[in-house]
Amino acid sequence: MHQKFFRILSVVAALFFITSAIHSVEPFELNQKLGRGVNLGNALDAPQEGEWGLTLRSELFDMIKEAGFDSVRIPVRWESLCYDRTALHDR
């Protein structure tokens, strides 16, 4: 129970500091710092990684870097990892 609380607290604190840092930079300046980027949408949005066709491996990031990209956006959905789905079906 305590571990879960501290994990959640750590994530909230990290998000606060990241958000604060981002808001102190002008959008154009932030965009320049990110450089040329690629979006790996749907890679971690699926209920289980790989269900929608893409599994992230270190080789993929090597290929992205070799192709000249400076940043990677990885959208993530957490709800499938946050609760036991069977508990919802038992209600």
Side-chain angles (χ1 to χ4, degrees):
M1 179 70 174
H2 292 290
Q3 279 185 325
K4 187 175 182 179
F5 172 76
F6 285 114
R7 283 187 205 159
I8 292 170
L9 184 62
S10 298
V11 169
V12 170
L15 289 174
F16 172 77
F17 289 115
I18 290 169
T19 304
S20 298
I22 289 173
H23 286 295
S24 66
V25 178
E26 293 295 319
F28 184 75
E29 183 183 345
L30 182 61
N31 192 26
Q32 284 183 318
K33 287 181 179 186
L34 287 172
R36 186 172 172 225
V38 64
N39 180 19
L40 296 180
N42 293 337
L44 296 177
D45 285 331
Q48 295 294 319
E49 183 181 358
E51 281 186 4
W52 293 350
L54 180 62
T55 302
L56 300 182
R57 301 278 184 245
S58 61
E59 298 84 21
L60 176 63
F61 294 96
D62 294 336
M63 291 186 327
I64 290 170
K65 184 157 184 72
E66 289 172 13
F69 291 97
D70 302 309
S71 61
V72 178
R73 178 179 180 266
I74 308 173
V76 178
R77 283 189 160 171
W78 297 103
E79 65 263 14
S80 65
L81 303 173
C82 292
Y83 56 84
D84 182 5
R85 288 178 172 217
T86 59
L88 293 176
H89 296 293
D90 293 338
R91 291 183 187 175

